[in-house]
Amino acid sequence: MSEHRRKSPQPQGGGRAAARRGQTGSSSGRRAAPRGATESPSDSYDSGGEERPFGSRAEARRASQRNSSAAGRRRAADGAGQGGRGRGRGSVPPKKRIIDYPRAGKYGAARWVPSWKLVTGLFIGFFGSMMAVAGVAYALVGLPDVAKTAEAQNNVYYWADGTQMVATGGETNRQIIDYSRIPKEMRYAVISAENKTFENDRGVDPMGIGRALFNMAKGGQTQGGSTITQQYVKNAMLEDQSQTISRKFKELFVSIKVGANVDKEDIMAGYLNSAYYGRGAYGIQAAARTYFDKDAEDLNPSQCAFLASVLKGATYYDPAGAESIDPSATPAANRQRAETRWRWILGEMVKDGHLEESVRNKYPDFPTLQSPRSNAQLGGQVGYLVDLAKAYIVNNSEKTGITEKQLRDGGYEIHTTFDKKKVTQLEAAVKKVRKENIKEKERPKTDKHVQFGGASVDPETGAIKAIYGGVDATKHFTNNADQTGAQVGSTFKPFVLAAAMKWGVRDPDLEPTQAQDERIQVSPKSLYSGKNKLKIEDYDGTVWKDKDEKEWLQRNDGDESYNPPTFQIDLREAMRVSSNSAYVQLGMNVGLDKVRESAVDAGIKEGSLASANFPSFSIGTSDPSAIRMAGAYATFAASGKQNEPYSVDEITDKDGTVFTHENSAKAKQAFTPLVADNVTDVLKTVVDEGTGTAAKLSNRPVAGKTGTTDGNKSAWFVGYTPQLSTAISMYRMDDDESNKKREFLEMYGTGGQDKIHGASFPAEIWHDYMEQALKGTKVEQFPTPEPIGEVVNDVVVPTPTPTPTETEEEESEEPEPTPTKSEPSPPAPTTSESCGAFGFGCEDDGGASTGETDTGGTDGGASPSTSESEEEDGGNSRGNGNGGLFQGSSG
């Protein structure tokens, strides 16, 4: 047989790629049978290697089958690994998945793009699940029962000794009435104001719910339901009043169920019978009795519109006000809000066709309201005490854990700090002074509308022991112990002194730019000018000017100057006689920002402080409450330790203790004992031999300060012993909270006196009360203070020539240039007035502002006689008397 070139065998089922893999496989040791062994091309595998002869055809066939099987397996594995590319005949397809993601057969980003089948499936699955959950939730929620909203309980208030004061709150002022007894005007007033589509809607507002949920989800303010049905459901769900998304979903399902299964009449009746109208009134019947002393069915359209207004929020729409909860909720502001909404609702009722225009025109005036308190248990001082305790609980809800709604629902035992004996004693002291001196019938022009306020605080803890809020909580609704707006006058001066001792004053021997950083801690022996109509220097040394660019001249009470001819007076003496000029200049030298900070550190609320942009800030243009003034002076009594005044010691409910004050009390060291004790020592002088001698107690040390304000519109005495700090205020104001133009009235001639000072009736009340309140207690002494600071301004600088008389100055039209300081020189005897570093003995320059501030009140303290020039024009001006920009105040 001739030799010829052998043809390579064809690949089996795998194409060229499989042939190549066969070649690779043969290199690993497999060898094809020689062509001649079987006479068949398929019996050989081209490996490019050595041929191996087989002994028989059967053996060759088996070897060929083994090679074909191995190659097939390799082709299948390689085809799957390449996603199906290059698969030849006989390849194994990939296994199908239920969710084809990432997608098979796709490459790159395409593998991660879901198919429309996948998207559709997921969409149907998600919403199907949601519908199932919603169906289950809808089936599980029940319809609310309006009767359950009447389950609120009373709160029981206790005196500090554990005896019961009063039980008041939930169930005592609630009555459910039938739909037929609710006036149609009331129903339509609510529909026009709250939910115009009520009669036709399905009970929910999806858009409103969506907005509320979105707001809460992003951390915004929580929102309530917007339909009457949703509001009714919200009122009825007493078991959970939290503002959470889960609760909103629950409300939504209940509202949907109510809208589908409850008649509109029942929903309206349920809403009006469960809503809170303020003043402790739940439901339309209780509200009608509370505000108008009549049954709900007898309400007229105007009264219905008012009650619909109050539903928006009694705190801000009850004309009686709610300042204890929010200082912005004053009677005047609330009345304005209520009137505006009342008028709008009546207009909407006409526009919606629910009220005839002719009927609307019968009610041009805002309806007359009843007393905010009708519960006889809340008469006398008890109503003020309960209001104060409520305000403390609600305003400190982050500590007490009790919201206003929870407190209204009741069930709490509230143990207060109020000492029943001291409350009675304080009330008796006020009544005694009023009975003996205030004659409304005899002197209606001067004695009508006289008000007193008072508060007593424990310096060691800050506990409020007693208050006097007014003649009767069921007759006079404003708590006079709380914020009233009455300016405090010279009782503010101790904060100026404390600031000067704590931070120091600018150094008068340095240039103003240097003096900004170089301060001198003052001693009570530091000297300032007691000159009347003193030019006041700013912190930088320039003469302070008013809004008309006239130099500010600070007046003393009665236009009295002290210690002529030098007019030097130390700070202790200036506090004793209540010299305005000395303390106004001291405040400027310290910096009014530091004076403000001193008052806040002592415990005065920033919101009650006047602008610190004017010199008169240092003499009491601010209006803190009696409680805050007693608490701030208590800081000095406690050697600088400041405790927040508080009125609740402990709260319990059916499950046990809810809150204890001890766990939340945080005293701070506002002033060092060195500063506080020196302030106390100066204030002792005021009571021992100054304007506050009327407040002296038998065998007890007392520190305190008198205060009288611009236009004689308020008078104060604030004082303390080591055990008790008390503030007493007196002012005149129309007692009618509905009067839009309520304002403070002058007290010239009140009580038969030419002028009311802090040393008169306020000091007398303070004395009578404190004598009884401290009777039987241990006599404690104040700490003896260590010396403090340096004596500032102890050198008098004379001027070479006298200046024009004050009479000439007042006639002059144009201000003269500000005098410059001369170098210090030894004092020399002289009969002429001289000018010191801070205006000692300075005569007033022409054109200066002389009538801008009336700074009344030495409060009965003995004072040196004035010089002839001062007597000529003393007392010729009372100031503007309107609490204006440049008002002044004094001791």
Side-chain angles (χ1 to χ4, degrees):
M1 176 184 285
S2 63
E3 292 292 326
H4 62 81
R5 192 173 190 176
R6 241 184 297 178
K7 189 176 181 181
S8 299
Q10 295 298 316
Q12 300 296 313
R16 294 181 180 178
R20 284 194 298 272
R21 286 194 297 272
Q23 292 172 2
T24 304
S26 66
S27 66
S28 63
R30 293 193 192 95
R31 303 204 177 169
R35 180 180 180 87
T38 62
E39 299 294 333
S40 171
S42 62
D43 288 340
S44 67
Y45 190 89
D46 187 7
S47 64
E50 182 182 354
E51 296 182 356
R52 176 183 175 184
F54 292 95
S56 66
R57 290 185 179 181
E59 186 178 353
R61 189 164 51 251
R62 286 194 296 271
S64 178
Q65 290 172 349
R66 284 196 298 271
N67 289 338
S68 297
S69 177
R73 285 195 299 271
R74 285 194 297 272
R75 287 195 298 273
D78 190 60
Q82 298 183 26
R85 287 185 299 171
R87 287 198 301 266
R89 294 185 302 274
S91 61
V92 180
K95 187 177 180 180
K96 291 185 177 180
R97 295 177 291 173
I98 296 176
I99 299 177
D100 185 21
Y101 192 82
R103 298 174 65 185
K106 301 292 183 181
Y107 307 97
R111 297 186 65 202
W112 305 100
V113 178
S115 67
W116 66 269
K117 292 181 180 179
L118 180 60
V119 172
T120 303
L122 290 175
F123 183 84
I124 294 174
F126 174 77
F127 280 95
S129 301
M130 291 296 292
M131 291 295 290
V133 170
V136 172
Y138 182 86
L140 291 178
V141 297
L143 297 176
D145 183 359
V146 69
K148 291 183 178 180
T149 63
E151 292 180 352
Q153 306 171 60
N154 281 336
N155 292 315
V156 183
Y157 293 82
Y158 295 89
W159 296 101
D161 63 3
T163 59
Q164 183 173 317
M165 179 195 305
V166 66
T168 183
E171 63 191 16
T172 59
N173 196 17
R174 186 196 303 268
Q175 183 180 350
I176 297 174
I177 61 175
D178 188 74
Y179 178 83
S180 61
R181 297 180 59 192
I182 300 174
K184 70 178 187 305
E185 290 85 2
M186 184 67 204
R187 303 195 301 265
Y188 287 133
V190 173
I191 289 173
S192 290
E194 304 285 349
N195 183 192
K196 293 181 183 293
T197 63
F198 168 72
E199 295 177 318
N200 301 310
D201 65 29
R202 296 180 177 273
V204 295
D205 176 10
M207 293 299 293
I209 288 288
R211 286 193 301 269
L213 295 175
F214 178 73
N215 238 18
M216 287 186 291
K218 69 178 185 179
Q221 185 178 7
T222 57
Q223 298 178 355
S226 56
T227 69
I228 289 175
T229 303
Q230 289 172 251
Q231 294 287 0
Y232 161 60
V233 170
K234 176 176 177 288
N235 292 340
M237 293 172 64
L238 289 177
E239 75 280 0
D240 182 11
Q241 286 294 319
S242 60
Q243 291 286 342
T244 61
I245 292 179
S246 61
R247 180 179 179 274
K248 288 299 174 186
F249 272 116
K250 185 176 181 179
E251 276 186 17
L252 174 62
F253 291 124
V254 176
S255 298
I256 293 172
K257 199 164 191 175
V258 169
N261 296 279
V262 181
D263 291 338
K264 291 292 185 179
E265 290 185 0
D266 293 335
I267 294 173
M268 176 62 76
Y271 173 55
L272 294 178
N273 277 320
S274 63
Y276 181 64
Y277 295 79
R279 302 188 184 183
Y282 290 84
I284 182 63
Q285 175 65 11
R289 280 292 173 188
T290 297
Y291 286 98
F292 304 110
D293 195 23
K294 60 170 62 175
D295 290 329
E297 56 193 325
D298 298 326
L299 294 170
N300 63 42
S302 175
Q303 294 165 339
C304 290
F306 167 75
L307 292 180
S309 301
V310 177
L311 285 175
K312 188 170 178 65
T315 299
Y316 301 99
Y317 288 87
D318 179 0
E323 292 176 275
S324 59
I325 296 176
D326 188 335
S328 68
T330 63
N334 277 20
R335 185 179 178 86
Q336 183 177 358
R337 279 189 285 261
E339 284 195 28
T340 300
R341 188 163 178 80
W342 162 81
R343 190 174 294 106
W344 174 78
I345 289 176
L346 287 174
E348 289 297 297
M349 292 173 68
V350 172
K351 187 170 67 175
D352 296 338
H354 299 318
L355 186 68
E356 294 292 334
E357 181 73 33
S358 58
V359 177
R360 163 66 182 92
N361 294 335
K362 292 180 181 179
Y363 305 100
D365 300 323
F366 192 70
T368 302
L369 309 179
Q370 293 293 111
S371 159
R373 295 186 185 90
S374 58
N375 189 345
Q377 290 181 295
L378 299 177
Q381 300 304 305
V382 173
Y384 303 124
L385 297 171
V386 169
D387 283 351
L388 198 61
K390 284 181 178 179
Y392 178 82
I393 294 169
V394 173
N395 292 337
N396 294 278
S397 59
E398 73 282 357
K399 296 179 181 178
T400 63
I402 300 173
T403 65
E404 182 183 6
K405 177 66 171 63
Q406 290 171 323
L407 187 62
R408 289 202 312 265
D409 292 340
Y412 298 102
E413 292 187 354
I414 300 165
H415 297 264
T416 72
T417 62
F418 307 130
D419 186 315
K420 184 177 182 179
K421 194 173 182 180
K422 287 182 172 62
V423 170
T424 302
Q425 291 164 342
L426 180 54
E427 185 177 28
V430 175
K431 285 183 175 180
K432 175 177 175 289
V433 166
R434 180 181 285 279
K435 182 178 179 180
E436 293 176 354
N437 301 280
I438 308 303
K439 311 293 182 182
E440 292 188 21
K441 294 183 179 179
E442 296 177 17
R443 298 183 293 264
K445 291 185 177 180
T446 59
D447 287 18
K448 198 173 182 181
H449 307 310
V450 171
Q451 300 290 336
F452 293 97
S456 214
V457 173
D458 181 351
E460 186 63 29
T461 64
I464 302 172
K465 293 299 183 182
I467 64 167
Y468 179 82
V471 292
D472 191 320
T474 63
K475 298 176 182 177
H476 172 74
F477 315 130
T478 300
N479 186 349
N480 295 346
D482 211 347
Q483 200 68 37
T484 61
Q487 295 179 354
V488 296
S490 286
T491 57
F492 201 80
K493 289 175 181 173
F495 306 130
V496 183
L497 181 61
M501 290 179 174
K502 181 176 181 178
W503 286 287
V505 299
R506 66 182 177 89
D507 189 341
D509 296 328
L510 297 177
E511 291 297 323
T513 53
Q514 294 177 293
Q516 294 286 346
D517 300 319
E518 297 293 334
R519 288 175 171 265
I520 302 175
Q521 187 179 35
V522 303
S523 160
K525 297 179 181 180
S526 296
L527 298 172
Y528 277 79
S529 176
K531 177 81 169 61
N532 184 51
K533 296 182 182 178
L534 177 70
K535 291 180 181 179
I536 299 300
E537 292 186 1
D538 207 342
Y539 190 85
D540 62 3
T542 61
V543 174
W544 208 91
K545 296 181 180 180
D546 66 15
K547 58 184 175 59
D548 298 322
E549 288 300 309
K550 290 186 178 181
E551 294 176 346
W552 180 287
L553 301 180
Q554 181 58 55
R555 290 176 178 267
N556 290 324
D557 179 56
D559 286 328
E560 179 149 17
S561 292
Y562 300 98
N563 299 339
T566 65
F567 301 105
Q568 283 188 322
I569 185 171
D570 68 34
L571 294 178
R572 182 185 296 275
E573 178 70 4
M575 188 74 79
R576 183 184 77 83
V577 300
S578 201
S579 169
N580 289 334
S581 55
Y583 273 90
V584 168
Q585 185 58 67
L586 177 63
M588 300 299 283
N589 292 350
V590 175
L592 296 183
D593 58 330
K594 297 299 184 185
V595 174
R596 184 184 185 92
E597 188 173 342
S598 172
V600 172
D601 287 345
I604 300 298
K605 286 288 188 182
E606 287 198 53
S608 65
L609 292 174
S611 170
N613 295 327
F614 304 96
S616 56
F617 176 75
S618 293
I619 49 176
T621 55
S622 301
D623 56 9
S625 67
I627 293 172
R628 283 289 163 180
M629 286 300 290
Y633 272 49
T635 301
F636 299 129
S639 294
K641 186 176 70 173
Q642 192 267 330
N643 291 283
E644 279 292 298
Y646 72 101
S647 56
V648 176
D649 265 324
E650 184 180 75
I651 305 172
T652 61
D653 64 6
K654 60 183 177 61
D655 298 320
T657 301
V658 175
F659 164 80
T660 58
H661 179 265
E662 291 181 1
N663 295 335
S664 62
K666 292 182 180 179
K668 67 177 183 180
Q669 196 71 37
F671 306 102
T672 64
L674 180 65
V675 169
D677 293 343
N678 269 279
V679 171
T680 294
D681 194 56
V682 170
L683 295 182
K684 280 178 60 181
T685 307
V686 175
V687 177
D688 290 342
E689 53 190 49
T691 61
T693 54
K696 274 187 179 181
L697 297 178
S698 305
N699 302 317
R700 287 183 186 274
V702 174
K705 185 69 186 77
T706 54
T708 306
T709 60
D710 178 45
N712 202 210
K713 294 179 179 178
S714 62
W716 290 72
F717 184 81
V718 187
Y720 54 93
T721 67
Q723 300 107 309
L724 199 61
S725 175
T726 300
I728 303 294
S729 66
M730 177 181 176
Y731 57 92
R732 287 182 66 214
M733 176 179 277
D734 187 354
D735 198 34
D736 183 6
E737 276 88 350
S738 65
N739 184 355
K740 294 181 180 179
K741 298 182 179 179
R742 294 178 70 206
E743 58 184 17
F744 289 94
L745 307 173
E746 293 181 345
M747 293 191 293
Y748 297 108
T750 298
Q753 299 191 5
D754 291 339
K755 184 177 183 179
I756 297 297
H757 298 99
S760 55
F761 300 142
E764 182 181 344
I765 292 170
W766 190 96
H767 169 270
D768 293 350
Y769 161 67
M770 291 289 280
E771 282 281 20
Q772 295 300 314
L774 295 172
K775 193 174 183 178
T777 63
K778 180 183 178 182
V779 176
E780 295 185 14
Q781 302 296 325
F782 290 116
T784 301
E786 297 292 330
I788 189 173
E790 301 178 25
V791 178
V792 180
N793 303 328
D794 58 346
V795 177
V796 177
V797 183
T799 53
T801 57
T803 57
T805 65
E806 291 180 356
T807 302
E808 292 172 344
E809 293 162 4
E810 292 178 355
E811 294 174 352
S812 175
E813 293 284 313
E814 296 295 327
E816 294 182 7
T818 303
T820 57
K821 296 180 184 179
S822 58
E823 290 296 323
S825 60
T830 176
T831 57
S832 64
E833 297 180 350
S834 57
C835 242
F838 284 92
F840 293 131
C842 283
E843 284 289 354
D844 306 327
D845 287 339
S849 174
T850 60
E852 296 295 344
T853 58
D854 175 25
T855 54
T858 60
D859 295 316
S863 302
S865 60
T866 60
S867 63
E868 183 177 354
S869 62
E870 269 106 33
E871 289 174 350
E872 289 177 356
D873 69 290
N876 63 356
S877 173
R878 290 183 181 177
N880 54 32
N882 61 2
L885 188 63
F886 295 99
Q887 60 194 351
S889 50
S890 178

